[in-house]
Amino acid sequence: ASKEAAALGAKVGLADFVNPTPIGTKWGLGGTCVNVGCIPKKLMHYAGIKYEGLDEFDFVGYPQKIEKKHVWEAMVGNVQRYIKKINFDYKVQLRSLGVKYYNSYATLLDKNTIQLKNSKGEVETVTTKNVLIATGGRPNYPDVPGSQECCITSDDIFSMKKAPGKTLVVGASYIALECGGFLNALGYDTHIMVRSILLRGFDQDMANKIGEYMEKRETRFLYKSTPSKFTKQKNGKILVDYQQEEEGVKKSKSEEYDTVLLAIGRFVDSKAIGADKVGLTMADNGKLFVNDAEQTNIPNIYSIGDCAVGRPELTPSAIMAGKLLARRLYKDSKQLMNYKNVATTVFTPLEYGAVGYTEEDANTEFGKENVITYHSEFVPLEWNFNIFRGETSYLKIVCNKKDNERVVGFHIASPNAGEITQGISVAMNAGLTKDQLDNTVGIHPTIAEEYTTVKAVKGVDDAKKTGC
């Protein structure tokens, strides 16, 4: 948003400051995505896929056995070097556009006045016509003894100096499954503690598919479990006391881990930046209420991304919303952000790409009798080097029968699901129908070809595909 506004001739200042985590982790310019989110996550996901692939070298004709011994420090070093390059590039971009960069914590004093405090405790005050709040969120810590003293979060894992060893991931969100997925793939004994269901808010057929795939890959899930205490042991390990429900009865259990990673959601600390003091209205979780133009209840203060109520917690949608806001403010544009059919991908070992309605939500929105879901269970060609693998990918296309079988939901669990889903989102925003998919010539042999050939109706036909 700052770069777009500056390019349009506005005088722009950008304040960016990271309060360290309880164990002292901090990072550079660029926000969550670059430093402790999408970028390091995707790189470590890729590392996990490469590492798991070593088991199949003999199937493709490599006679030698490669020792599987992961060097955590080497991977983290390379990831952090790339991140620091991006941090530097951002500073150069801001400077070239004339954006004033403040490495300071910003606090609202009134609707036009901001206090900036840097790491040395030095304070200055600036005034501005418009304010954009895009602070994102930080990980939650549970109200459990020892959580902050003994545990880390996704803010810490990507820059850890030593290998995590045996790890407990607490949570069932996409962050929990992504981190648990690459840790297990890299050879670390990984357990995931799940209170209720996997990937709440996502299509549950797909969520369960991901869970089954990860369990087959020897990730251990502790279902119906919640932690009750974390204790640092003399040997450096963490003793986790927890409750697990078995046949309706809660049982007390405990186990030692080298690392405990919390991934139980995120919060927005709006009060810390003075949002309440200037009269901004917010939800209980700290997110700010905004209208369709990203405007808060104070007309010159705007908010985008994770810190706004009802907005996808996705960096690309926040970037687009910020650009469009800058154009409305400084270019006389009228275009609003379209939050419909925003695609996303969960980078679990078996990637899950999604755009549009889940099947459950489509049934609620259009009526179950008006929804038809096509599905296919198939084996990506590359997996057939190892005919003993016994794993499948899965695709769902959710259509509204009363609207010419318009595609209202697309879901795929497969390798490279993100690359496939991105293209489908373009088509769905252009009004894609099932007939148009059926009349599209696929690229053979690819995974994406599958959505041009799927015929099986869920609840009527078997999803399993035979042949190539």
Side-chain angles (χ1 to χ4, degrees):
S2 63
K3 291 188 290 184
E4 186 74 13
L8 294 171
K11 184 179 180 181
V12 182
L14 172 67
D16 181 77
F17 187 88
V18 177
N19 284 322
T21 70
I23 68 168
T25 306
K26 53 185 179 180
W27 50 90
L29 179 65
T32 299
C33 174
V34 167
N35 293 283
V36 291
C38 316
I39 297 300
K41 175 267 302 286
K42 177 71 182 293
L43 288 171
M44 292 189 180
H45 164 68
Y46 177 75
I49 290 173
K50 287 293 186 185
Y51 199 69
E52 283 191 317
L54 295 177
D55 289 335
E56 298 193 339
F57 263 40
D58 53 338
F59 289 101
V60 296
Y62 286 91
Q64 72 274 21
K65 288 289 182 182
I66 297 177
E67 182 184 9
K68 289 192 72 174
K69 184 178 181 181
H70 184 252
V71 182
W72 175 267
E73 296 81 0
M75 179 187 70
V76 168
N78 287 322
V79 168
Q80 290 302 314
R81 271 189 288 275
Y82 178 60
I83 290 172
K84 285 178 173 56
K85 176 186 178 299
I86 301 176
N87 297 151
F88 178 77
D89 289 346
Y90 279 157
K91 289 182 180 179
V92 171
Q93 291 168 16
L94 293 176
R95 190 181 304 119
S96 67
L97 288 166
V99 176
K100 175 66 174 174
Y101 167 53
Y102 298 95
N103 187 202
S104 302
Y105 195 89
T107 305
L108 292 164
L109 299 180
D110 61 45
K111 67 185 182 69
N112 298 110
T113 310
I114 298 172
Q115 175 184 283
L116 301 167
K117 185 176 182 179
N118 66 21
S119 59
K120 298 177 182 178
E122 298 169 340
V123 176
E124 64 177 304
T125 302
V126 298
T127 57
T128 181
K129 180 180 178 181
N130 296 305
V131 177
L132 173 60
I133 299 172
T135 55
R138 297 295 291 269
N140 283 322
Y141 287 82
D143 186 18
V144 172
S147 62
Q148 294 200 29
E149 297 81 5
C150 299
C151 305
I152 66 169
T153 69
S154 58
D155 281 355
D156 306 294
I157 185 70
F158 302 114
S159 58
M160 277 181 62
K161 301 298 183 186
K162 64 176 184 177
K166 180 181 177 183
T167 301
L168 172 67
V169 179
V170 181
S173 64
Y174 69 91
I175 295 174
L177 298 188
E178 288 173 338
C179 291
F182 71 67
L183 288 174
N184 183 74
L186 293 170
Y188 302 104
D189 185 9
T190 305
H191 301 183
I192 299 179
M193 184 174 286
V194 180
R195 183 178 54 122
S196 53
I197 62 173
L198 301 179
L199 295 176
R200 184 178 300 279
F202 288 86
D203 191 282
Q204 283 304 292
D205 280 343
M206 312 308 290
N208 293 331
K209 178 73 177 178
I210 297 303
E212 291 166 8
Y213 184 94
M214 291 178 68
E215 282 189 289
K216 187 168 183 179
R217 293 277 165 155
E218 300 183 351
T219 301
R220 180 184 167 198
F221 284 89
L222 305 175
Y223 287 104
K224 297 183 179 180
S225 300
T226 54
S228 52
K229 188 178 181 180
F230 303 102
T231 308
K232 195 82 168 183
Q233 305 292 87
K234 290 182 179 179
N235 60 5
K237 296 181 183 295
I238 300 164
L239 179 65
V240 179
D241 295 312
Y242 65 99
Q243 297 281 314
Q244 185 172 39
E245 184 179 319
E246 294 179 356
E247 297 180 352
V249 179
K250 287 188 175 181
K251 296 185 178 180
S252 296
K253 298 183 179 183
S254 62
E255 191 161 350
E256 277 191 346
Y257 295 90
D258 297 303
T259 300
V260 177
L261 171 65
L262 302 174
I264 56 170
R266 300 172 71 82
F267 73 98
V268 180
D269 200 0
S270 297
K271 291 183 179 180
I273 63 169
D276 57 331
K277 293 179 181 177
V278 300
L280 289 171
T281 56
M282 64 187 79
D284 292 340
N285 61 4
K287 294 193 175 193
L288 303 173
F289 288 104
V290 296
N291 62 19
D292 290 344
E294 324 300 346
Q295 194 173 39
T296 68
N297 62 299
I298 299 177
N300 73 305
I301 300 179
Y302 302 83
S303 182
I304 58 173
D306 295 20
C307 54
V309 172
R311 299 300 188 240
E313 295 183 355
L314 299 168
T315 299
S317 65
I319 290 173
M320 178 65 78
K323 288 180 177 179
L324 293 175
L325 172 61
R327 292 168 192 169
R328 291 195 300 274
L329 291 174
Y330 305 113
K331 197 183 176 182
D332 296 325
S333 172
K334 303 297 182 185
Q335 185 179 354
L336 297 174
M337 174 66 185
N338 176 17
Y339 288 101
K340 184 180 179 182
N341 292 332
V342 173
T344 188
T345 294
V346 183
F347 289 100
T348 37
L350 183 66
E351 293 181 13
Y352 165 32
V355 57
Y357 289 90
T358 67
E359 185 179 2
E360 298 91 344
D361 288 345
N363 288 337
T364 300
E365 177 69 21
F366 305 109
K368 191 172 183 179
E369 70 280 6
N370 298 319
V371 173
I372 183 169
T373 299
Y374 297 88
H375 65 160
S376 177
E377 186 177 1
F378 59 98
V379 179
L381 179 65
E382 303 91 306
W383 289 4
N384 288 291
F385 269 115
N386 178 4
I387 61 173
F388 307 105
R389 182 165 178 158
E391 295 166 334
T392 58
S393 291
Y394 186 58
L395 166 74
K396 287 173 65 172
I397 299 173
V398 184
C399 301
N400 181 0
K401 288 194 288 188
K402 294 194 75 174
D403 188 18
N404 196 30
E405 290 204 1
R406 194 164 310 283
V407 178
V408 297
F410 176 86
H411 304 270
I412 184 167
S414 76
N416 303 310
E419 311 296 340
I420 297 165
T421 307
Q422 182 67 85
I424 282 289
S425 69
V426 176
M428 285 178 62
N429 276 312
L432 180 68
T433 66
K434 181 61 167 63
D435 185 63
Q436 288 171 329
L437 284 176
D438 292 342
N439 286 293
T440 298
V441 177
I443 301 171
H444 187 69
T446 63
I447 294 170
E449 177 189 23
E450 198 65 29
Y451 64 68
T452 69
T453 61
V454 58
K455 301 294 183 188
V457 175
K458 189 180 176 195
V460 178
D461 305 312
D462 188 354
K464 288 187 178 179
K465 180 186 175 182
T466 58
C468 66

